[in-house]
Amino acid sequence: MALDEQYKPQVIEQAAQTFWQENRSFEVKEDPNREKFYCLSMFPYPSGRLHMGHVRNYTIGDVIARYQRMTGKNVLQPMGWDAFGLPAENAAMNNGVPPAAWTYENIAYMKGQLKSLGFAVDWSREVATCTPEYYRWNQWLFLRMLEKGIVYQKTGTVNWDPVDQTVLANEQVIDGRGWRTGALVEKREIPMYYMAITQYAEELLADLDHLPGWPEQVRTMQKNWIGKSHGVRVGFPHSIGEGGTLWVFTTRADTLMGATYVAVAAEHPLALHAADNNPELAAFIEECKRGGTSEAELATQEKKGMATGLTVTHPLTGEELPLWVANYVLMGYGEGAVMAVPAHDERDFEFANKFRLPIKQVIEGPEVAAIRRSLQGGITEHGESFDNLRNELRGLEFTPDEWKLWYETKYGTCIHSGKYDGFDFEQAVDAIASDLEAKGLGEKKVTWRLRDWGVSRQRYWGTPIPIIHCDACGDVPVPDDQLPVVLPEECVPDGSGNPLNRYEAFRNTTCPTCGGAAQRETDTMDTFVDSSWYFFRYTCPDATTMVDGRAGYWMPVDQYIGGIEHAILHLLYSRFWTKVMRDLGLTKVTEPFANLLTQGMVVAPTFYREGEDGRKQWINPADVAVQTDEKGRPLSATLTADGQPVVMGGIEKMSKSKNNGVDPQKLIEQYGADTARVFMMFAAPPEQSLEWNDAGVEGAYRFLRRVWLFAHDHRAVIAAGRGASIEPSALTDGMAGARRQIHEILQQAETDFGKYQFNTVVAACMKLMNLLPNVPDAEARGAVVAEGMSILLRLLSPIAPHITHDLWRELGYGDDVLDAAWPRVDEAALVKDTIELVVQVNGKVRGKVQVPAAADNAAVEQAALTDETVARHVEGKTVRKVIVVPGRLVNVVVA
RNA sequence: GCGAAAGUGGCGGAAUUGGUAGACGCGCUGGAUUUAGGUUCCAGUGGGGCAACCCGUGGGAGUUCGAGUCUCCCCUUUCGCACCA
């Protein structure tokens, strides 16, 4: 007994976890007679240790899984490892250990960490993507997609480090330079395999409307990413080289009459042709190749361009338009060429303004017409009349604001457009498209922003692409009976290219078709392939095919939980793979994730000192003391070790680079898993970012200890009251009031649980805990306290499973709170005789009145007007109307 | 640059979705217990004012009897941008 009275999380958590393990509490089987619930958290990359983001993600998932189980569902919650990827290669370069050994070691350690958090995971279904048993199905499906024409080959642009002679990931390019060598990175075109996700663009877009369980913002982001746009393909005839037509795509064909030049990407064939006898242009094109390939980098770089000296012909006016090469036009996007309408496109305007290209207004909307009227006869900042200005544009430089004032009109009426004058957007597009079509120089067209998915990676630690290159037979798919193509696990990358290229035993093979000597493809697959279907494999991890019938029971995932940073790529690729699998007859589901919860980041304060070289040295918050004023406002911070000041760097995402991480392991050792879980659920709602706070952790611990101590102090009371039936009408007013509050809190908690708003669920549990010691010492106290405690334990059990597991048994409620029935509100406990109404005068609160719950509006009005303060504010004024919101408030409108 | 969000006390956040702004927790202040530190317990805590009251949800306008919530403009911060996962 004496030992019991202290809250010792390490002891009870160990005992609870042993109980679950011995009883195989979380291993589940398909049961067609029970409603299933597939609860899935995004699997971790085995980086070495869990970070707080993991802990938060898996705690949210675990709370949902345990809650759904208590509502009676057959709940599957699996776990596995996204085990291929770049960090393993980087680790190998640093410490000489092969990526495989490093990865498996990390998995073993992190699995132990996950177990110590008490997650209700069915570990018998564990999957690691770096095992041949898993990735053989990446290869198998790749080959099926190749057969169906969904996988194909073409060239793609990569970041090339000329010193290390290797391809770099975008992450490895810093300010246009290789992260290890510091060399200027170049763009390089290499052959790659692609997955034709654009074949599914229409369906991927349309099905977003059938995902009501996804956050609106994620659906919008995906919609914009897919980017369906209706426009016109326009041809500009030219006589460059052997002559031909330069094609562009535009969504604004109504502005075609305002096109004043045409720009192509540096890699465009016409640009290359023009450069043949123009060294200056050739140098410029070379310059455009510098820098990385990421869209953000390309879009924010300074706009550069150079005239080719060549022209193309405007398809409608016959006018000759200058042909430019511009770094803001991308070869891999659309036609690699654009028509430029500086008057009605901000980027074109900026470019035209810089290079003094003509600007021709062809659209006028109501806003601009109004400005024109106001300026009529007036003088602009440039000292010229508006109409003169338009004629003089060629010689003037404009600020973007000036341009906006005169020309920015989204949609309007065509002007200066010959036969199209007076047409609106739709009429102009229709007329121009049909005129172009008649000349064979254009037609209406739908285009997509979405591009096909390049899956080839020039890296070692990934799924080998199952292709064999034979001099005689070409590129030959590896036959199914030779799968998997097993990745050798002993290589150690050194930063210069893919070690598989030098690994003869892997590379050299025989051609499956002719039997002659041949070479394996050494590129591996993008790791997004691994994560695009792992949720299928969990349902049948030992299947001898890619998936089997068990997937039919569990899929789709009922609740998917993961970081918002995956809102587009991972989720889109997974949706695509699921549809491909469906078309191959492997599944009936068309969307993998019915409901999606995108959790926020874990952030923490940062501190630093500036070194002599001006570099910031980041100091861990654990080593810093913050001084506050008497209201608790932070004033300054000092390093605990030397007492000298450090700079407060603001709140940032927990990261190694800012040295503001908190190690979950230390937290668990100090306070236990339940405290960690309660704090994480309490400090913020799941979708918002969560600010780490050591004092807040203490608060969570204090709360759990109070629960523990109260339960132990009131064992006898609870034992006596447990199971006793409560007759609401026989309770004293005080007791009925206490019981009503308990059920009101339960009602609120129920709603919040349904919304997955766990921070207020914890708040509800705290309120219950504050209430229970104050239940009046009267008849039926034991029964009410026992009821309240059983509600508290059940509400809390998904969040703090260990302490509630222990207390549920200790207090004699049952064997296992895991399968206890979810608490239900007793409507009879909620009944009130009188209610309090707020009385406002002209919208300001002036008083409160008690009225019978059944009072009608007239009686309520009467009561409101007799309130002393209200009467004072109404006195001498005319009551215009009285608004009564039943059960809420009365608003007296006076004048 | 493009796309998507967020902004409420000293801090994390709450607000039945248009109806009492600040639940719950942290911090802070005062008190009790303790040899002391810690723990625990009690009280207070948006700002101003003796008070009546006034002000207050990033800034500015608007709709409404009533706006943190709806509409428009602006500012700031965060996430994603196709080879980090």
Side-chain angles (χ1 to χ4, degrees), chain A residues 689-758:
Chain A
S689 65
L690 180 149
E691 190 176 322
W692 193 260
N693 182 327
D694 289 330
V697 176
E698 288 274 358
Y701 183 76
R702 269 204 290 272
F703 163 63
L704 290 177
R705 191 171 50 195
R706 287 181 67 206
V707 173
W708 178 269
L709 291 174
F710 181 83
H712 282 257
D713 285 352
H714 293 77
R715 266 182 169 175
V717 176
I718 291 167
R722 178 165 37 78
S725 66
I726 296 170
E727 179 49 57
S729 57
L731 297 175
T732 63
D733 284 356
M735 193 60 76
R739 187 159 183 266
R740 187 176 64 237
Q741 285 183 60
I742 290 170
H743 281 267
E744 279 173 354
I745 294 168
L746 170 59
Q747 191 174 39
Q748 182 64 53
E750 281 258 28
T751 312
D752 293 344
F753 243 118
K755 290 191 290 186
Y756 293 162
Q757 189 173 303
F758 305 120

Side-chain angles (χ1 to χ4, degrees), chain A residues 785-804:
Chain A
V785 169
E787 185 193 24
M789 194 63 181
S790 85
I791 290 171
L792 171 58
L793 291 179
R794 282 177 288 169
L795 285 179
L796 191 57
S797 69
I799 297 165
H802 307 90
I803 186 175
T804 48

Side-chain angles (χ1 to χ4, degrees), chain A residues 388-550:
Chain A
N388 281 346
L389 254 180
R390 209 178 55 232
N391 298 328
E392 302 286 331
L393 287 174
R394 194 183 280 270
L396 290 172
E397 272 209 46
F398 293 94
T399 67
D401 281 349
E402 288 170 323
W403 167 71
K404 270 185 185 160
L405 185 66
W406 293 314
Y407 292 108
E408 189 191 50
T409 296
K410 289 273 179 270
Y411 295 97
T413 309
C414 293
I415 59 170
H416 308 129
S417 298
K419 64 185 271 205
Y420 309 109
D421 277 358
F423 285 20
D424 67 15
F425 171 77
E426 216 165 302
Q427 293 167 327
V429 171
D430 287 347
I432 287 173
S434 84
D435 287 351
L436 288 171
E437 202 160 356
K439 294 185 175 195
L441 290 174
E443 72 274 306
K444 282 198 176 176
K445 196 185 165 195
V446 170
T447 57
W448 303 86
R449 207 187 83 93
L450 182 68
R451 310 200 294 263
D452 280 342
W453 173 16
V455 295
S456 295
R457 296 291 178 272
Q458 298 68 47
R459 278 188 242 298
Y460 157 67
W461 190 232
T463 303
I465 290 177
I467 297 286
I468 291 167
H469 303 289
C470 170
D471 286 341
C473 311
D475 297 343
V476 182
V478 174
D480 285 359
D481 60 11
Q482 291 176 29
L483 294 182
V485 177
V486 176
L487 183 73
E489 293 198 341
E490 58 275 18
C491 293
V492 182
D494 62 3
S496 61
N498 182 349
L500 290 178
N501 286 325
R502 306 183 289 266
Y503 198 93
E504 302 297 327
F506 174 82
R507 192 167 187 181
N508 294 334
T509 185
T510 51
C511 172
T513 307
C514 69
Q519 300 218 304
R520 287 194 189 281
E521 170 67 54
T522 57
D523 279 0
T524 54
M525 293 186 203
D526 181 3
T527 54
F528 273 125
V529 169
D530 308 323
S531 55
S532 288
W533 70 281
Y534 72 105
F535 39 88
F536 275 100
R537 193 66 186 176
Y538 281 145
T539 66
C540 48
D542 53 359
T544 52
T545 50
M546 188 176 185
V547 287
D548 66 21
R550 289 171 285 179

Side-chain angles (χ1 to χ4, degrees), chain A residues 859-873:
Chain A
V860 166
E861 236 179 279
Q862 194 52 44
L865 290 166
T866 52
D867 180 88
E868 196 189 324
T869 316
V870 174
R872 183 148 44 81
H873 281 92

Side-chain angles (χ1 to χ4, degrees), chain A residues 155-163 165-170 173 175-178 183-192 265-268 272 283-302 304 325-333 451 458:
Chain A
T155 63
T157 314
V158 293
N159 304 304
W160 180 256
D161 185 322
V163 173
Q165 294 281 299
T166 194
V167 175
L168 298 179
N170 284 339
V173 179
D175 296 330
R177 292 172 182 272
L184 280 173
V185 169
E186 298 165 7
K187 296 185 191 70
R188 186 173 268 214
E189 299 278 316
I190 58 165
M192 303 210 294
E267 302 89 345
H268 195 280
L272 299 176
F284 176 70
I285 288 171
E286 231 12 74
E287 191 190 327
C288 287
K289 281 189 189 163
R290 260 191 244 137
T293 58
S294 84
E295 191 174 308
E297 193 181 331
L298 294 168
T300 50
Q301 71 192 354
E302 192 196 347
K304 290 182 184 166
V325 177
N327 68 347
Y328 74 92
V329 182
L330 308 180
M331 194 59 217
Y333 192 36
R451 310 200 294 263
Q458 298 68 47

Side-chain angles (χ1 to χ4, degrees), chain A residues 89-153:
Chain A
E89 298 198 17
N90 294 334
M93 284 181 235
N94 290 333
N95 57 30
V97 177
W102 182 85
T103 302
Y104 288 120
E105 213 171 278
N106 289 347
I107 287 175
Y109 183 79
M110 289 170 77
K111 187 172 173 181
Q113 288 191 299
L114 286 173
K115 287 194 165 177
S116 73
L117 281 154
F119 296 135
V121 164
D122 181 352
W123 283 104
S124 72
R125 297 167 180 268
E126 182 179 359
V127 162
T129 58
C130 63
T131 57
E133 298 76 47
Y134 183 81
Y135 66 68
R136 73 174 293 168
W137 302 110
N138 289 348
Q139 296 170 341
W140 182 82
L141 203 80
F142 177 95
L143 295 171
R144 300 291 83 73
M145 287 161 89
L146 189 66
E147 288 161 5
K148 292 196 74 178
I150 300 171
V151 160
Y152 66 97
Q153 254 192 311

Side-chain angles (χ1 to χ4, degrees), chain A residues 639-652:
Chain A
L639 184 63
T640 324
D642 62 12
Q644 297 302 305
V646 294
V647 184
M648 294 186 274
I651 309 285
E652 302 260 12

